[in-house]
Amino acid sequence: MKNYDNVTIFNHPLIKHKIAILRNEKTSMKEFRELIEEITTLMTFECLREGVPTVECQVTTPLETCTQEMVKDNAIVIVPILRAGLGMVNGIHVLFPSARVGHIGLCRNEETLEPMEYYCKLPDGIEDKLVLVVDPMLATGGSACDAIGQLKKRGCKDIKFMAVIGAPEGVQKVAESHPDVPIYVSTLDRCLNENGYILPGLGDAGDRLFGTK
Ligand code: PRP
Ligand code: URA
Protein backbone atom coordinates (compact mmCIF):
# COMPACT_ATOMS: atom_id res chain seq x y z
CA MET A 1 0.00 0.00 0.00
CA LYS A 2 1.08 3.56 -0.76
CA ASN A 3 2.17 5.73 2.21
CA TYR A 4 -0.33 8.36 3.32
CA ASP A 5 0.54 11.35 5.50
CA ASN A 6 -2.71 10.94 7.45
CA VAL A 7 -2.31 7.19 8.19
CA THR A 8 -0.51 5.71 11.21
CA ILE A 9 -0.09 1.94 11.45
CA PHE A 10 1.06 1.02 14.94
CA ASN A 11 2.81 -2.33 14.57
CA HIS A 12 3.66 -2.15 18.28
CA PRO A 13 4.85 -5.44 19.86
CA LEU A 14 2.39 -5.21 22.78
CA ILE A 15 -0.52 -4.57 20.43
CA LYS A 16 0.66 -7.33 18.06
CA HIS A 17 0.66 -9.76 20.96
CA LYS A 18 -2.92 -8.89 21.88
CA ILE A 19 -4.06 -9.02 18.27
CA ALA A 20 -2.65 -12.53 17.85
CA ILE A 21 -4.93 -13.69 20.70
CA LEU A 22 -7.85 -11.64 19.37
CA ARG A 23 -7.70 -13.32 15.95
CA ASN A 24 -7.78 -16.84 17.37
CA GLU A 25 -11.17 -18.43 16.70
CA LYS A 26 -10.96 -20.15 20.11
CA THR A 27 -10.73 -16.87 22.05
CA SER A 28 -13.85 -16.49 24.21
CA MET A 29 -16.32 -13.63 23.91
CA LYS A 30 -15.23 -12.28 27.30
CA GLU A 31 -11.55 -12.30 26.39
CA PHE A 32 -12.29 -10.85 22.95
CA ARG A 33 -14.19 -7.94 24.54
CA GLU A 34 -11.39 -7.30 27.06
CA LEU A 35 -8.72 -7.38 24.36
CA ILE A 36 -10.59 -4.90 22.16
CA GLU A 37 -10.80 -2.53 25.13
CA GLU A 38 -7.12 -2.94 26.04
CA ILE A 39 -5.95 -2.42 22.45
CA THR A 40 -8.16 0.66 22.19
CA THR A 41 -6.61 2.16 25.33
CA LEU A 42 -3.10 1.59 23.97
CA MET A 43 -4.06 3.12 20.62
CA THR A 44 -5.76 6.12 22.24
CA PHE A 45 -2.64 6.90 24.24
CA GLU A 46 -0.69 7.31 21.00
CA CYS A 47 -3.48 8.79 18.90
CA LEU A 48 -3.93 11.64 21.39
CA ARG A 49 -0.24 12.47 21.63
CA GLU A 50 -1.01 15.60 19.59
CA GLY A 51 -4.02 17.83 19.12
CA VAL A 52 -5.71 17.38 22.50
CA PRO A 53 -7.09 20.68 23.83
CA THR A 54 -5.44 21.44 27.17
CA VAL A 55 -5.69 24.20 29.76
CA GLU A 56 -3.14 25.55 32.19
CA CYS A 57 -3.82 25.26 35.89
CA GLN A 58 -2.01 26.03 39.14
CA VAL A 59 -1.09 23.10 41.36
CA THR A 60 0.38 23.40 44.84
CA THR A 61 2.73 20.55 45.67
CA PRO A 62 4.05 20.07 49.25
CA LEU A 63 6.98 22.27 48.14
CA GLU A 64 5.65 25.02 45.85
CA THR A 65 2.98 26.14 43.43
CA CYS A 66 3.56 25.41 39.75
CA THR A 67 1.76 25.78 36.43
CA GLN A 68 0.56 22.49 34.95
CA GLU A 69 -1.38 21.36 31.87
CA MET A 70 -4.58 19.35 32.00
CA VAL A 71 -6.92 18.05 29.30
CA LYS A 72 -9.74 20.56 28.77
CA ASP A 73 -13.01 19.46 30.30
CA ASN A 74 -15.53 18.05 27.86
CA ALA A 75 -13.05 18.33 24.98
CA ILE A 76 -13.49 14.88 23.46
CA VAL A 77 -16.49 13.07 22.02
CA ILE A 78 -16.32 9.35 21.21
CA VAL A 79 -18.39 8.19 18.23
CA PRO A 80 -18.58 4.40 17.90
CA ILE A 81 -19.93 3.01 14.63
CA LEU A 82 -22.60 0.52 15.75
CA ARG A 83 -22.46 -2.20 16.58
CA ALA A 84 -18.86 -3.24 16.87
CA GLY A 85 -17.52 0.24 17.64
CA LEU A 86 -19.31 0.00 21.00
CA GLY A 87 -16.65 -2.50 22.05
CA MET A 88 -14.01 0.26 21.91
CA VAL A 89 -15.82 2.89 24.02
CA ASN A 90 -14.73 1.63 27.46
CA GLY A 91 -11.13 1.51 26.28
CA ILE A 92 -11.28 5.30 25.82
CA HIS A 93 -13.44 5.97 28.88
CA VAL A 94 -10.69 4.47 31.03
CA LEU A 95 -8.60 7.49 30.02
CA PHE A 96 -11.40 10.09 29.71
CA PRO A 97 -14.27 8.98 31.94
CA SER A 98 -16.32 12.09 31.19
CA ALA A 99 -16.07 11.90 27.38
CA ARG A 100 -19.53 12.07 25.85
CA VAL A 101 -20.63 9.45 23.36
CA GLY A 102 -22.44 9.91 20.04
CA HIS A 103 -23.75 6.87 18.13
CA ILE A 104 -23.86 6.25 14.41
CA GLY A 105 -25.62 3.02 13.42
CA LEU A 106 -24.46 1.56 10.12
CA CYS A 107 -24.93 -1.92 8.74
CA ARG A 108 -23.24 -3.23 5.61
CA ASN A 109 -25.51 -4.64 2.95
CA GLU A 110 -24.08 -8.16 2.59
CA GLU A 111 -24.35 -8.10 -1.21
CA THR A 112 -23.38 -4.55 -2.20
CA LEU A 113 -21.17 -4.01 0.92
CA GLU A 114 -22.58 -0.47 1.00
CA PRO A 115 -23.32 0.91 4.51
CA MET A 116 -26.95 1.57 5.40
CA GLU A 117 -27.64 4.07 8.16
CA TYR A 118 -30.19 3.10 10.81
CA TYR A 119 -29.37 5.41 13.73
CA CYS A 120 -27.63 8.68 14.51
CA LYS A 121 -27.60 10.50 17.82
CA LEU A 122 -24.82 12.97 18.53
CA PRO A 123 -24.20 15.19 21.58
CA ASP A 124 -25.06 18.89 21.31
CA GLY A 125 -22.03 21.03 20.52
CA ILE A 126 -20.10 18.15 18.91
CA GLU A 127 -18.96 20.47 16.11
CA ASP A 128 -16.50 22.20 18.49
CA LYS A 129 -15.03 19.02 19.96
CA LEU A 130 -12.28 16.60 19.10
CA VAL A 131 -14.25 13.64 17.74
CA LEU A 132 -12.82 10.13 17.96
CA VAL A 133 -14.65 7.83 15.53
CA VAL A 134 -14.05 4.18 16.41
CA ASP A 135 -14.74 0.86 14.71
CA PRO A 136 -12.63 -2.29 15.17
CA MET A 137 -12.79 -3.18 11.46
CA LEU A 138 -11.89 -1.02 8.46
CA ALA A 139 -12.72 -3.28 5.50
CA THR A 140 -13.93 -1.57 2.28
CA GLY A 141 -13.91 1.76 4.14
CA GLY A 142 -17.56 2.44 3.25
CA SER A 143 -18.76 2.64 6.87
CA ALA A 144 -15.89 4.85 8.04
CA CYS A 145 -16.29 7.24 5.07
CA ASP A 146 -20.03 7.45 5.66
CA ALA A 147 -19.66 8.17 9.39
CA ILE A 148 -16.94 10.79 8.86
CA GLY A 149 -19.04 12.38 6.09
CA GLN A 150 -22.05 12.64 8.44
CA LEU A 151 -19.93 14.27 11.14
CA LYS A 152 -18.52 16.78 8.68
CA LYS A 153 -22.04 17.65 7.50
CA ARG A 154 -22.88 18.29 11.13
CA GLY A 155 -19.97 20.80 11.22
CA CYS A 156 -17.26 18.71 12.92
CA LYS A 157 -13.79 19.87 11.88
CA ASP A 158 -11.51 17.98 14.23
CA ILE A 159 -12.01 14.26 13.60
CA LYS A 160 -9.72 11.27 14.16
CA PHE A 161 -10.56 7.72 13.14
CA MET A 162 -9.32 4.58 14.94
CA ALA A 163 -9.65 0.96 13.80
CA VAL A 164 -8.05 -2.12 15.27
CA ILE A 165 -7.61 -3.98 11.97
CA GLY A 166 -7.51 -2.40 8.53
CA ALA A 167 -7.50 -3.79 5.01
CA PRO A 168 -5.37 -1.88 2.49
CA GLU A 169 -8.49 -1.22 0.35
CA GLY A 170 -10.32 0.48 3.23
CA VAL A 171 -7.35 2.42 4.58
CA GLN A 172 -6.70 3.79 1.09
CA LYS A 173 -10.35 4.77 0.57
CA VAL A 174 -10.64 6.68 3.87
CA ALA A 175 -7.18 8.26 3.53
CA GLU A 176 -8.00 9.58 0.06
CA SER A 177 -11.62 10.60 0.74
CA HIS A 178 -10.74 12.41 3.98
CA PRO A 179 -7.11 13.58 3.80
CA ASP A 180 -7.76 15.97 6.71
CA VAL A 181 -8.69 13.09 9.06
CA PRO A 182 -5.84 11.27 10.83
CA ILE A 183 -6.40 7.50 10.63
CA TYR A 184 -4.94 5.13 13.21
CA VAL A 185 -4.87 1.40 12.55
CA SER A 186 -3.11 -0.99 14.87
CA THR A 187 -2.47 -3.60 12.17
CA LEU A 188 -2.72 -3.62 8.39
CA ASP A 189 -3.95 -6.96 7.07
CA ARG A 190 -3.45 -8.54 3.63
CA CYS A 191 -6.68 -7.97 1.67
CA LEU A 192 -10.44 -8.49 1.54
CA ASN A 193 -12.06 -11.74 0.45
CA GLU A 194 -14.94 -11.93 -2.07
CA ASN A 195 -17.45 -11.26 0.75
CA GLY A 196 -15.67 -8.13 1.94
CA TYR A 197 -14.12 -9.81 5.00
CA ILE A 198 -10.60 -8.91 6.05
CA LEU A 199 -7.92 -11.62 5.63
CA PRO A 200 -6.55 -12.97 7.89
CA GLY A 201 -8.76 -10.70 10.03
CA LEU A 202 -10.72 -12.00 12.99
CA GLY A 203 -14.12 -12.73 11.47
CA ASP A 204 -17.16 -10.61 12.28
CA ALA A 205 -16.18 -8.28 15.11
CA GLY A 206 -19.80 -7.55 16.11
CA ASP A 207 -20.68 -11.23 16.35
CA ARG A 208 -17.57 -11.99 18.39
CA LEU A 209 -18.16 -9.06 20.77
CA PHE A 210 -21.83 -9.75 21.36
CA GLY A 211 -22.06 -13.50 20.80
CA THR A 212 -24.64 -13.28 18.02
CA LYS A 213 -23.22 -16.26 16.09
C1 PRP B 1 -18.70 -4.18 10.32
C2 PRP B 1 -17.64 -3.41 11.09
C3 PRP B 1 -17.63 -2.10 10.37
C4 PRP B 1 -17.91 -2.48 8.95
C5 PRP B 1 -16.62 -2.44 8.19
O1 PRP B 1 -19.95 -3.83 10.73
O2 PRP B 1 -17.90 -3.29 12.45
O3 PRP B 1 -18.60 -1.17 10.85
O4 PRP B 1 -18.43 -3.81 8.97
O5 PRP B 1 -16.84 -2.71 6.86
P1 PRP B 1 -16.62 -1.65 5.71
O6 PRP B 1 -15.30 -1.00 5.95
O7 PRP B 1 -16.62 -2.51 4.48
O8 PRP B 1 -17.76 -0.68 5.72
P2 PRP B 1 -21.28 -4.49 10.15
O9 PRP B 1 -21.80 -3.65 9.02
O10 PRP B 1 -21.05 -5.93 9.88
O11 PRP B 1 -22.31 -4.27 11.31
P3 PRP B 1 -22.26 -4.79 12.83
O12 PRP B 1 -21.17 -4.03 13.54
O13 PRP B 1 -23.61 -4.44 13.32
O14 PRP B 1 -22.01 -6.28 12.83
N1 URA C 1 -16.62 -6.44 9.33
C1 URA C 1 -16.14 -7.36 10.21
O1 URA C 1 -16.64 -7.46 11.35
N2 URA C 1 -15.12 -8.14 9.82
C2 URA C 1 -14.57 -8.04 8.60
O2 URA C 1 -13.61 -8.78 8.32
C3 URA C 1 -15.09 -7.08 7.70
C4 URA C 1 -16.11 -6.29 8.10
Side-chain angles (χ1 to χ4, degrees), residues 48-78:
L48 295 185
R49 183 181 287 279
E50 283 170 14
V52 179
T54 56
V55 285
E56 283 191 352
C57 61
Q58 298 296 308
V59 176
T60 303
T61 75
L63 300 176
E64 62 175 16
T65 297
C66 55
T67 304
Q68 294 290 290
E69 235 179 279
M70 293 185 81
V71 175
K72 199 172 159 196
D73 229 15
N74 193 17
I76 293 166
V77 173
I78 310 165

Side-chain angles (χ1 to χ4, degrees), residues 84 108 137 139 192 196-199 201-206:
R108 283 199 317 178
M137 308 306 276
L192 296 176
Y197 275 82
I198 300 175
L199 295 176
L202 46 72
D204 188 300

Side-chain angles (χ1 to χ4, degrees), residues 105-162:
L106 297 174
C107 189
R108 283 199 317 178
N109 177 304
E110 287 186 7
E111 267 144 41
T112 64
L113 301 182
E114 289 296 320
M116 295 181 332
E117 185 188 326
Y118 60 87
Y119 190 75
C120 183
K121 183 92 178 167
L122 302 171
D124 288 345
I126 191 172
E127 52 284 354
D128 301 320
K129 311 292 181 202
L130 166 57
V131 182
L132 288 183
V133 184
V134 296
D135 192 331
M137 308 306 276
L138 175 53
T140 65
S143 304
C145 280
D146 195 281
I148 294 167
Q150 284 190 48
L151 290 163
K152 285 187 175 175
K153 270 196 208 141
R154 182 63 193 257
C156 300
K157 295 165 285 297
D158 192 3
I159 303 172
K160 293 177 191 270
F161 178 78
M162 282 203 303

